[in-house]
Amino acid sequence: MKKNIVLLPGDGIGPEIMESAKVVLNTVASEYNHEFNFHEHAIGGDAIDRFNNPLPEETIHACKAADAVLLGAVGGKKWDNNPSHLRPEKGLLGIRKALGLFANLRPIKGFNSLLHASPLKEEKIAGSDILIIRELTGGLYFGTPSERRENGNVVVDTLYYERHEMERIIDKAFQSAMQRKKQLTSVDKANVLESSRMWREIVDEKANVYPEVEVEHLLVDAAAMKLITQPNHFDVIVTENLFGDILSDEASVLTGSLGMLPSASIRTDGVGLYEPVHGSAPDIAGKGIANPLGMILSTAMMLRHSLGLEEEAAEIERAVNETLEQGYHTADLQLKNGKLAGTKEITDAVIENLTTKSISNSICNMYV
Ligand code: IPM
Ligand code: MG
């Protein structure tokens, strides 16, 4: 299989962890006889510094022509006081919108060896396996007007959704629930917001199309509590952009390993952008100590969702899990009696586990 993959390393630790993603993908390519062509482009603060634009035209062009996009991270203190059109986050929001990536998938599943670092008691979090599906290209983050008025003393942001935007994300959530435990929690604020009342109506309509899926409605404030008190309760959670942004960050720390979490932003035809959840961590950038595993697991999601390479994706996930089981960990992961590793060392360990499997496979095959 020959595929074009755009790499957007971005800011902070983005470039370092992107190196790890490349090495892993090259290994998968040679093990499975694929050809992945990488094209690197600028986004975020890096693009502001080089092109005075957080999302240069050329980057949009390249992403539109690609089979999939991998992103490191954007943002950092350096650009925090920039005017809104020159902020790194504008680049990320812009590329999601330009590619029409309306569905953000954030699987929250802990690794056994890391659960002890969860802020929750281990028995509370053990066994949790949540998929948060966040609407990504509508709502408050994109509505206009969004501006200051009357000498800066009045402010307005706009929460705007069209029916079809709600329908497609809710449909995606039902489909995902069908492939999992068939339990869907829809999160809204229907006791206050008109947009939430429309959202709820659509969820109820769609529930008739997927009668096997058990649906519950939760208000966002109650959902925030329940994620902490009973994370095991959830299977698939679907919600609009702002609520999803907040709840997915809340959920991401439950497993004790924010640095491990991947995410996918996709549309219906499979094109997608994949990035770790953790962000740019500028304080440790350039030190060679960043955890690349969230990025590496994002490449697995890319292989699965955009390239249809399920086996290769599962192999990467197995290799990462084995690496942790062998005790390797970066500084952000608290592993009892582990072997502290830098970005490159832990990537090498993942590669070792990826290739070892193929050798033992071929040995097995010799005896078949
Ligand atoms: C995320 C981030 C972004 C968002 C920011 C950086 C614009 O928080 O991916 O969740 O809010 O979508
Ligand atoms: Mg966020």
Side-chain angles (χ1 to χ4, degrees):
M1 177 181 278
K2 194 169 163 173
K3 293 288 173 189
N4 284 321
I5 299 167
V6 164
L7 308 178
L8 307 175
D11 307 321
I13 59 170
E16 296 160 65
I17 58 175
M18 191 59 84
E19 277 311 305
S20 303
K22 261 200 260 183
V23 181
V24 167
L25 284 173
N26 281 332
T27 307
V28 168
S30 68
E31 297 284 318
Y32 286 86
N33 248 330
H34 300 307
E35 189 180 328
F36 298 138
N37 297 313
F38 301 125
H39 312 273
E40 210 164 296
H41 288 275
I43 196 166
D46 168 49
I48 295 171
D49 289 351
R50 290 199 279 149
F51 306 105
N52 201 35
N53 180 352
L55 184 61
E57 266 312 306
E58 197 191 277
T59 300
I60 302 181
H61 247 79
C63 290
K64 282 189 170 164
D67 294 302
V69 181
L70 275 178
L71 179 117
V74 297
K77 277 211 165 50
K78 184 174 173 193
W79 307 279
D80 269 359
N81 296 321
N82 282 11
S84 75
H85 69 286
L86 284 179
R87 293 183 63 106
E89 293 78 9
K90 256 286 188 284
L92 182 54
L93 295 175
I95 194 64
R96 289 170 177 167
K97 190 75 172 177
L99 296 178
L101 306 173
F102 67 87
N104 185 227
L105 312 185
R106 294 195 174 179
I108 314 283
K109 191 174 174 182
F111 289 83
N112 283 339
S113 43
L114 299 172
L115 287 183
H116 67 95
S118 169
L120 299 187
K121 291 196 188 84
E122 209 171 322
E123 64 267 23
K124 219 162 220 183
I125 186 68
S128 303
D129 180 359
I130 310 172
L131 175 62
I132 298 192
I133 302 189
R134 163 189 174 193
E135 200 291 323
L136 204 58
T137 51
L140 267 176
Y141 292 14
F142 291 94
T144 51
S146 168
E147 64 194 21
R148 296 286 180 100
R149 293 178 183 170
E150 299 178 29
N151 295 327
N153 294 318
V154 172
V155 64
V156 57
D157 283 308
T158 304
L159 203 175
Y160 178 91
Y161 268 114
E162 295 181 11
R163 174 172 279 272
H164 75 97
E165 294 175 302
M166 291 186 179
E167 279 174 349
R168 64 186 179 183
I169 188 77
I170 290 166
D171 198 65
K172 173 76 198 159
F174 273 100
Q175 286 171 23
S176 300
M178 285 298 287
Q179 287 162 8
R180 296 171 46 105
K181 286 187 235 140
K182 299 193 172 72
Q183 285 163 18
L184 179 62
T185 304
S186 167
V187 173
D188 62 36
K189 187 71 185 172
N191 54 346
V192 178
L193 299 175
E194 199 51 44
S195 55
S196 284
R197 287 191 275 272
M198 179 160 144
W199 175 278
R200 210 175 258 223
E201 267 165 43
I202 296 172
V203 171
D204 287 338
E205 280 164 29
K206 285 270 176 217
N208 297 320
V209 183
Y210 299 89
E212 285 173 56
V213 177
E214 193 186 311
V215 180
E216 78 172 335
H217 298 284
L218 263 191
L219 296 174
V220 62
D221 40 3
M225 282 198 300
K226 203 156 188 171
L227 265 174
I228 299 287
T229 52
Q230 224 188 313
N232 267 321
H233 168 82
F234 297 100
D235 177 21
V236 178
I237 297 176
V238 65
T239 189
E240 61 85 59
N241 202 345
L242 170 70
F243 299 157
D245 187 19
I246 298 169
L247 291 183
S248 62
D249 262 26
E250 183 191 352
S252 69
V253 296
L254 295 179
T255 57
S257 45
L258 172 62
M260 300 297 301
L261 296 176
S263 78
S265 304
I266 56 177
R267 59 188 198 205
T268 352
D269 66 1
V271 167
L273 178 148
Y274 300 82
E275 57 181 310
V277 168
H278 52 61
S280 62
D283 49 322
I284 59 160
K287 295 188 178 161
I289 58 170
N291 179 357
L293 299 178
M295 182 82 242
I296 291 173
L297 291 169
S298 299
T299 69
M301 284 193 93
M302 176 187 82
L303 295 176
R304 173 174 296 124
H305 292 283
S306 281
L307 309 187
L309 300 174
E310 173 57 41
E311 188 185 333
E312 290 84 337
E315 271 301 285
I316 294 178
E317 287 158 354
R318 178 196 57 77
V320 167
N321 190 41
E322 249 159 53
T323 302
L324 292 173
E325 295 290 325
Q326 288 156 359
Y328 291 100
H329 70 101
T330 41
D332 58 307
L333 304 174
Q334 302 162 33
L335 214 63
K336 287 172 197 153
N337 311 317
K339 306 171 203 162
L340 182 63
T343 311
K344 188 173 175 315
E345 271 174 288
I346 202 161
T347 306
D348 288 347
V350 172
I351 300 294
E352 179 73 24
N353 284 317
L354 261 177
T355 46
T356 316
K357 164 71 190 313
S358 332
I359 293 165
S360 60
N361 248 356
S362 50
I363 293 172
C364 292
N365 290 342
M366 280 162 51
Y367 295 95
V368 176

